[in-house]
Amino acid sequence: MENVKVFSIIIAVFSVLSVESVGLKDLKTCNFGAVYNFGDSNSDTGGGSAAFWPAGKPCGETFFGRPVGRGCDGRLIIDFIPEHLGLPHLSPYLDSIGTSFRYGANFAIGGSTIRPQNESMSLNGVSPFSLDIQIVQFDQFKDRTGHFYNRSYPRHHRNLPRPEDFSKALYIFDIGQNDIAAGLRKKNDSAFHASVPDIVDQLAKAVQNLYEHGARTFWVHNTGPIGCLPVSLHYHDIKPEELDEQGCLKAQNAYSMEFNRQLKARVIKLREELPHAALTYVDIYAAKYELIGNAKKQGFVEAANICCGFHEDEIQIYCGHKQNINGTEIYAGSCENPSDFISWDGVHYTEAANRWVAHRIINGSFSDPPLPIKHACHIP
């Protein structure tokens, strides 16, 4: 715990000094006309529900009062970002009902990977909408909305992005966790490590594609500590020596850290390759690990506790599902106070935890360069 406190202080001091060094006071606030997001279930606001099957109760109960396609009791990090920028929540690209793309779109789909996997949604939850497909969807979206905007009646413009906003938009990447999960499933360390350069290169190609089509501001999240997810801790027989000081699986977190190390190096290289791009690398891993290490201090219960689901006596029932156990039907509902928990369903975070992380990354405390998101369009 003391190590986490010291680490937090160092991060805070470093951020203040670094922000001052880049002359934050002299920077103008960026005028982001739209936000476009690419990702997996950590930032899926309904794409997966539109493509496959809808997220059911009790998801959405805390903020929306009903399921709205998020694997959470309320808002995700990707919801808090546009709120902070004064923009509405992002509509999923695949959602055909009640959508508005005036201020951006969300291409994230639960189960998505950066690199296409030879797996399936029905087999192990891997989405066919890998990052390359999401980029193809964006390219088509940009072309078609431009066509209709320039040829439609003005009253139709309210739901379409203005063509000039694409170059001034914020482009967010929040993807990679499922690539790591795929590596863990295969239980081949050497194969996973050999695959990481190609995985980060494919993300870099996505950034390059958007840059070639006019995008200039990129906000790239690394992946969180997968070994701290309660689903990993509840579903495995674990020896004490396998855990770190926060009770997380060291071997699994090592996968995340290696991916993040190479991702950061690739983002730095992209800054050289794309001289007119503002690229921010956001250390989601550090933010979430700090929260997990200070769970009780921050007002949460133990980080390994799960709000929604049934996990007792080696019986594991996923959030919102029912199962007959010895003649008794058990419904895996939510806890009484989701805001007390970090984990919503063992994999995804609660709205309270998402808010905690979002507020810390938005101010630049976990970013390289350490600029607040409202100044992310500037190249230091």
Side-chain angles (χ1 to χ4, degrees), residues 88-243:
H89 294 156
L90 300 182
S91 291
Y93 169 71
L94 293 182
D95 197 350
S96 59
I97 300 174
T99 53
S100 172
F101 300 117
R102 173 65 182 80
Y103 300 102
N106 192 358
F107 296 86
I109 302 286
S112 293
T113 54
I114 296 173
R115 190 165 75 160
Q117 302 289 322
N118 187 25
E119 297 177 310
S120 69
M121 180 63 74
S122 59
L123 178 65
N124 46 31
V126 174
S127 164
F129 296 96
S130 50
L131 182 57
D132 58 334
I133 299 300
Q134 294 182 27
I135 295 299
V136 169
Q137 290 175 331
F138 171 82
D139 290 342
Q140 182 183 32
F141 171 86
K142 186 172 183 289
D143 289 343
R144 295 190 69 201
T145 55
H147 172 84
F148 287 114
Y149 191 94
N150 292 326
R151 290 166 176 78
S152 66
Y153 293 107
R155 68 175 181 272
H156 295 152
H157 289 179
R158 67 180 182 273
N159 291 324
L160 297 176
R162 295 179 299 184
E164 63 268 25
D165 283 343
F166 282 102
S167 62
K168 296 182 289 186
L170 175 66
Y171 293 83
I172 300 175
F173 288 84
D174 189 353
I175 191 167
Q177 181 171 302
N178 292 315
D179 294 87
I180 295 170
L184 290 168
R185 280 196 302 273
K186 294 170 184 175
K187 298 180 179 180
N188 188 327
D189 290 355
S190 59
F192 170 75
H193 289 295
S195 72
V196 174
D198 181 58
I199 295 172
V200 299
D201 272 344
Q202 292 206 28
L203 190 148
K205 289 178 181 177
V207 172
Q208 290 168 328
N209 178 288
L210 295 172
Y211 181 84
E212 291 169 1
H213 288 82
R216 289 296 179 265
T217 304
F218 302 92
W219 183 265
V220 182
H221 293 184
N222 70 10
T223 195
I226 195 169
C228 297
L229 295 178
V231 68
S232 300
L233 303 173
H234 281 265
Y235 282 67
H236 297 87
D237 293 325
I238 300 171
K239 299 176 182 178
E241 59 268 23
E242 296 180 276
L243 302 176

Side-chain angles (χ1 to χ4, degrees), residues 24-44:
L24 179 59
K25 295 179 181 179
D26 299 326
L27 297 179
K28 293 182 179 179
T29 299
C30 304
N31 181 26
F32 294 124
V35 175
Y36 294 97
N37 182 69
F38 307 89
D40 51 33
S41 60
N42 289 315
S43 59
D44 181 353

Side-chain angles (χ1 to χ4, degrees), residues 2 13 22 33 38 63 74 94 114 120 132 168 182 213 234 251 265 269 278 280 302 314 324 328 336:
E2 289 302 321
V13 172
V22 296
F38 307 89
F63 182 79
L94 293 182
I114 296 173
S120 69
D132 58 334
K168 296 182 289 186
H213 288 82
H234 281 265
K269 186 177 179 182
T280 301
E302 291 285 351
E314 298 184 357
N324 191 292
T328 301
E336 184 175 352

Side-chain angles (χ1 to χ4, degrees), residues 126 210 305 343 351:
V126 174
L210 295 172
N305 291 355
S343 180
E351 172 176 293

